[in-house]
Amino acid sequence: MSEKDQQDRDLVLKFLSGVKDPALKKDIISLGFVKDLQVDGKQIKIKLSLTSPGCPHKDEILSDIVRSLEGYSVIIEVTHNVLSGSFVRKEGTRKVKNIIAVGSGKGGVGKSTVSILLAYALKKLGAKVGIIDLDFYGATIPSMLGSSFVQEVNESGLLIPPLHQGIKIISLAYFVPQNSSVIWRGPMLSKAVHDFMEKVDWGELDYLIADLPPGTGDVPITLGQDRLINAAIIVSTPQPAAVNVALKLIDTFKKLNVPVLGGLENMSYFICPNSKEKVELFGSRYFKEKLEEIGLPYLGALPFVPQLRELEDVGVKEENISYIIDDIIPVAQELTCRLSVLNYQISERPFFLNIPKKK
Amino acid sequence: MSEKDQQDRDLVLKFLSGVKDPALKKDIISLGFVKDLQVDGKQIKIKLSLTSPGCPHKDEILSDIVRSLEGYSVIIEVTHNVLSGSFVRKEGTRKVKNIIAVGSGKGGVGKSTVSILLAYALKKLGAKVGIIDLDFYGATIPSMLGSSFVQEVNESGLLIPPLHQGIKIISLAYFVPQNSSVIWRGPMLSKAVHDFMEKVDWGELDYLIADLPPGTGDVPITLGQDRLINAAIIVSTPQPAAVNVALKLIDTFKKLNVPVLGGLENMSYFICPNSKEKVELFGSRYFKEKLEEIGLPYLGALPFVPQLRELEDVGVKEENISYIIDDIIPVAQELTCRLSVLNYQISERPFFLNIPKKK
């Protein structure tokens, strides 16, 4: 490389080091987001690797880059590299970057529905996604999705999870006849959590969504104590009785050192099919107020959609609920962004620090 | 007693032995329902003791008696003597005649609301009632009722339960601050079930309503294996995802030999406050159909009442929901009637067999 070329390149790097990731609050050079840089006179090609698919700050970062390189012609290629926390995963989840619990403490607030919607939204954003149904007594993910199961194992003896519309799924519902129950005391629940993670061939996944059971018992305790999940989000209706139980799960995760990314309100309102008016079935505000009180982000509100419930009775197809998925995409973006920040902070080291030198 | 008197009395007894209890399918003399009989010429006074407060067959039995004694002038005094199963109760529940679990498997279908409504309805029918909140992770009965607690013990060291509008209540919510959680694994749940029954001074109760947690785990297993409850009723919305989980709890109780008295549909429909039209939020029919399939009684359907939910946010007072309680009274009657039959069958012996002889 000529001295002139090196000077051009250094100048461009200097400009780029003025561009910050608004979430991580560091410049994109220190963060190692610039994976490749080609400077050819006034022509610049940048390969940019962001941390989260559908990063909500992507547009802001891109326009900041273009602005910082005024006078240049800039081509930017964006990829993403989902960060992983510093978790030691065993066997089946070895290549799973993030496991996010969807909990509420309370039953019947729509944890499974939210898990499904989040999984579809993350997939739409370009991520590799799975759902692990840890509500063993009330395993409903397969019936809600209309997903069926062929028992297959890989060469290492790990169970191959069914792939439903691109999403890998494991649920006890695949193994127990519909009207039959599992009469398990607590220790069995702990064992089942580990089995579902370790004895299933999850392969490479960016996000594995863990649908939790109600309560603050064996399943969340196992997830926290055994450091199995990266973070959790909390789902609740705005109804005080539900919110107060959700706060208990938040307290549990705090005691177990599981980071909570925020609270998502579900069944917030209902559009009456006759009058088209908005009815707040479970009240309003209480969840948001309580989250603010304890300093946790409010991730948004989802309506009660009877059509979705009807689809869940027979099996949800992605194409039938694309308008609902679109509604939840901002929540998914916010979530992955917060998770990136968390993983970045946890890793306690700058990642991808070196820009590869041009040969 | 003169021979004439004895003949008159024998004739009346013969007439009365033609009157059957429609539920127990035996005559009221063999059943020992006639506790006292005074025959004075054409004047007859009967003390009748039925098995259940608000027995739904009371009117039928009374009119059958009057019909069978045509030509006589009849005065009947009705009391009730709630039957108890052959359960060995310890300490605190020694004088509790029946413990009825309200379960669903699924969370968020209104178990606590139904428990409260049933307790009020049974009280209105004349029974002595308590509520034992066994949903330890999501204990909400006290906040729904606005009931507060003063920790007191009796001379034997048993805890005195707070009396809220005539109903005795125990809940973990009295002992744990609202936003704090109990991080208990399964075995603690079992111990807590026993503590709540044995270390609380329940005194004399006809019915103790046990509000269950979601799931088919430690709490229902303990109740069944340790023979703590007489029977259960199952609450579900009509939504298939909820019904299928409810069926699992029914299966669990079957495996544990806990009699299930029937299924009660909740949140069946909603009257839109604007259009006043009936909206089936969670579909319809599925619970009733499934109950019929497995041969269990359908006890009825309760609406989704936003006003009730609002009252529960601040504490339900009996006088504010008397119209809702009236709606559930037929369910309570049906329930006590089925329980009487069950207890009668279990006891395997005619009870109160002898009519006391007139001195």
Side-chain angles (χ1 to χ4, degrees):
Chain A
M1 196 184 286
S2 74
E3 202 173 320
K4 173 72 175 62
D5 285 352
Q6 188 59 53
Q7 280 171 356
D8 284 355
R9 193 177 158 81
D10 287 348
L11 189 66
V12 168
L13 279 174
K14 197 186 147 213
F15 289 144
L16 287 176
S17 67
V19 176
K20 282 190 175 176
D21 180 313
L24 299 178
K25 302 189 196 314
K26 284 217 171 185
D27 72 274
I28 59 170
I29 298 298
S30 316
L31 285 168
F33 283 2
V34 179
K35 305 298 281 180
D36 194 15
L37 175 66
Q38 293 180 24
V39 183
D40 185 5
K42 288 286 171 191
Q43 295 272 334
I44 297 175
K45 275 192 189 169
I46 300 171
K47 279 195 179 165
L48 195 69
S49 173
L50 298 179
T51 57
S52 114
C55 169
H57 304 297
K58 183 179 142 189
D59 292 345
E60 191 177 343
I61 293 171
L62 294 188
S63 66
D64 280 358
I65 290 174
V66 173
R67 203 178 307 124
S68 77
L69 297 174
E70 216 187 326
Y72 290 88
S73 150
V74 186
I75 297 169
I76 308 172
E77 182 190 329
V78 180
T79 59
H80 60 258
N81 188 337
V82 174
L83 298 180
S84 177
S86 55
F87 282 75
V88 181
R89 308 256 192 235
K90 288 186 204 165
E91 294 272 355
T93 50
R94 206 177 291 282
K95 294 182 202 158
V96 175
K97 289 185 177 167
N98 294 286
I99 306 182
I100 309 168
V102 174
S104 74
K106 187 98 176 66
V109 299
K111 282 183 296 294
S112 300
T113 297
V114 167
S115 297
I116 288 170
L117 291 174
L118 267 184
Y120 276 134
L122 290 167
K123 198 193 89 171
K124 208 165 186 171
L125 288 169
K128 297 193 205 81
V129 187
I131 302 177
I132 180 166
D133 183 355
L134 300 182
D135 186 1
F136 300 106
Y137 299 132
T140 48
I141 295 282
S143 74
M144 282 180 168
L145 287 174
S147 145
S148 54
F149 181 53
V150 180
Q151 185 146 353
E152 275 185 289
V153 291
N154 73 5
E155 65 283 1
S156 316
L158 299 184
L159 194 75
I160 297 173
L163 194 70
H164 177 82
Q165 304 207 303
I167 294 168
K168 290 178 182 172
I169 298 163
I170 274 299
S171 169
L172 195 64
Y174 291 132
F175 307 94
V176 177
Q178 185 164 291
N179 293 358
S180 190
S181 61
V182 288
I183 312 184
W184 288 353
R185 287 192 179 268
M188 264 307 288
L189 297 175
S190 273
K191 188 177 176 302
V193 168
H194 279 281
D195 281 357
F196 268 23
M197 293 208 172
E198 292 155 23
K199 298 186 178 168
V200 173
D201 180 15
W202 288 107
E204 281 188 29
L205 287 183
D206 294 318
Y207 303 105
L208 180 55
I209 306 291
D211 184 19
L212 297 196
T216 54
D218 287 88
V219 171
I221 297 176
T222 300
L223 293 175
Q225 283 184 343
D226 298 349
R227 301 202 69 229
L228 299 176
I229 51 175
N230 295 63
I233 66 163
I234 307 294
V235 179
S236 179
T237 66
Q239 178 178 6
V243 171
N244 290 332
V245 176
L247 292 174
K248 286 178 193 295
L249 183 62
I250 293 172
D251 180 68
T252 296
F253 280 139
K254 195 174 159 197
K255 288 173 181 165
L256 293 166
N257 287 316
V258 172
V260 175
L261 300 170
L264 177 59
E265 197 172 288
N266 195 30
M267 304 195 206
S268 293
Y269 54 90
F270 165 71
I271 306 295
C272 176
N274 304 308
S275 66
K276 307 292 172 202
E277 283 184 77
K278 189 172 168 179
V279 183
E280 287 175 338
L281 290 174
F282 297 101
S284 61
R285 289 184 306 277
Y286 194 72
F287 192 31
K288 192 162 187 277
E289 281 170 17
K290 283 287 164 183
L291 288 170
E292 275 163 14
E293 242 172 59
I294 58 174
L296 270 187
Y298 174 75
L299 298 171
L302 303 178
F304 179 90
V305 186
Q307 301 91 303
L308 178 58
R309 203 256 316 135
E310 278 161 30
L311 286 168
E312 284 173 345
D313 292 348
V314 294
V316 169
K317 294 266 170 303
E318 192 178 359
E319 59 267 28
N320 297 335
I321 56 162
S322 57
Y323 68 104
I324 303 173
I325 296 170
D326 289 343
D327 277 351
I328 206 176
I329 276 188
V331 173
Q333 287 179 317
E334 183 65 26
L335 192 68
T336 57
C337 178
R338 288 187 178 276
L339 192 60
S340 299
V341 174
L342 182 76
N343 285 337
Y344 176 66
Q345 288 166 342
I346 286 173
S347 67
E348 291 171 295
R349 48 178 172 77
F351 39 95
F352 329 135
L353 197 67
N354 301 313
I355 304 169
K357 289 267 174 201
K358 276 294 288 177
K359 66 235 134 215
Chain B
M1 197 184 282
S2 72
E3 202 175 320
K4 173 72 177 60
D5 285 352
Q6 187 60 51
Q7 280 171 357
D8 283 357
R9 192 177 158 82
D10 287 348
L11 188 67
V12 169
L13 279 174
K14 197 185 148 211
F15 289 144
L16 287 177
S17 66
V19 177
K20 281 191 176 177
D21 179 313
L24 300 178
K25 301 189 196 317
K26 284 215 170 186
D27 72 273
I28 58 170
I29 297 298
S30 316
L31 285 168
F33 283 1
V34 179
K35 305 298 281 180
D36 193 15
L37 176 65
Q38 293 179 23
V39 183
D40 185 7
K42 287 288 172 190
Q43 295 273 332
I44 297 175
K45 275 190 190 168
I46 301 171
K47 277 194 182 169
L48 196 69
S49 173
L50 299 178
T51 58
S52 113
C55 168
H57 303 298
K58 181 179 140 190
D59 291 346
E60 191 177 343
I61 293 171
L62 293 188
S63 65
D64 280 359
I65 289 174
V66 173
R67 203 178 305 124
S68 77
L69 296 174
E70 216 187 327
Y72 290 89
S73 150
V74 185
I75 298 169
I76 308 172
E77 182 191 329
V78 180
T79 60
H80 60 260
N81 188 337
V82 174
L83 298 182
S84 178
S86 55
F87 282 74
V88 181
R89 308 260 192 232
K90 287 186 205 165
E91 295 272 355
T93 49
R94 204 177 292 281
K95 293 183 201 157
V96 175
K97 289 185 176 169
N98 293 286
I99 304 182
I100 309 168
V102 174
S104 75
K106 187 100 175 64
V109 299
K111 282 183 294 297
S112 300
T113 297
V114 166
S115 296
I116 288 170
L117 291 175
L118 267 184
Y120 276 133
L122 290 167
K123 196 192 89 170
K124 208 164 185 171
L125 288 169
K128 294 194 206 82
V129 187
I131 302 178
I132 181 167
D133 183 355
L134 300 181
D135 186 0
F136 299 106
Y137 299 132
T140 49
I141 296 282
S143 73
M144 283 180 167
L145 287 174
S147 144
S148 55
F149 181 53
V150 179
Q151 183 146 355
E152 277 184 286
V153 291
N154 71 6
E155 66 283 0
S156 318
L158 299 184
L159 194 75
I160 298 173
L163 194 70
H164 178 82
Q165 304 208 304
I167 295 168
K168 290 178 183 173
I169 298 164
I170 274 300
S171 168
L172 196 63
Y174 291 132
F175 307 94
V176 178
Q178 187 164 290
N179 292 359
S180 190
S181 62
V182 288
I183 313 184
W184 288 354
R185 288 191 180 271
M188 262 308 287
L189 297 175
S190 273
K191 187 176 174 304
V193 168
H194 279 281
D195 281 357
F196 269 23
M197 293 207 172
E198 292 154 23
K199 297 184 178 169
V200 173
D201 180 14
W202 288 108
E204 281 188 30
L205 288 182
D206 294 319
Y207 304 105
L208 180 56
I209 306 292
D211 185 17
L212 297 197
T216 54
D218 287 87
V219 172
I221 296 175
T222 301
L223 292 176
Q225 283 184 342
D226 299 349
R227 302 202 68 230
L228 299 176
I229 51 175
N230 295 64
I233 67 162
I234 308 294
V235 178
S236 180
T237 67
Q239 178 177 8
V243 172
N244 290 332
V245 176
L247 293 173
K248 286 180 192 294
L249 183 62
I250 293 172
D251 180 67
T252 296
F253 280 139
K254 195 174 159 195
K255 287 172 182 165
L256 293 166
N257 287 317
V258 174
V260 175
L261 298 171
L264 177 59
E265 198 171 289
N266 194 31
M267 305 195 207
S268 292
Y269 55 90
F270 165 71
I271 305 297
C272 177
N274 305 306
S275 67
K276 307 292 171 204
E277 284 184 76
K278 189 173 169 178
V279 183
E280 285 174 339
L281 291 173
F282 298 100
S284 62
R285 287 185 306 277
Y286 193 72
F287 191 33
K288 192 162 187 277
E289 280 170 19
K290 284 287 162 181
L291 288 170
E292 275 164 13
E293 243 173 58
I294 58 175
L296 270 187
Y298 174 75
L299 298 171
L302 302 179
F304 178 89
V305 185
Q307 302 92 301
L308 177 58
R309 203 255 317 133
E310 280 161 31
L311 287 168
E312 284 173 346
D313 293 348
V314 292
V316 168
K317 295 265 169 305
E318 192 177 0
E319 58 267 28
N320 297 334
I321 56 162
S322 57
Y323 68 104
I324 304 172
I325 296 171
D326 288 345
D327 276 352
I328 207 176
I329 276 188
V331 173
Q333 287 180 316
E334 183 65 27
L335 192 69
T336 56
C337 177
R338 288 189 178 275
L339 190 60
S340 298
V341 174
L342 182 76
N343 284 337
Y344 176 66
Q345 288 166 342
I346 285 172
S347 68
E348 291 172 294
R349 52 180 168 75
F351 40 96
F352 331 134
L353 195 69
N354 301 312
I355 304 168
K357 289 267 175 201
K358 274 297 285 177
K359 65 230 136 218

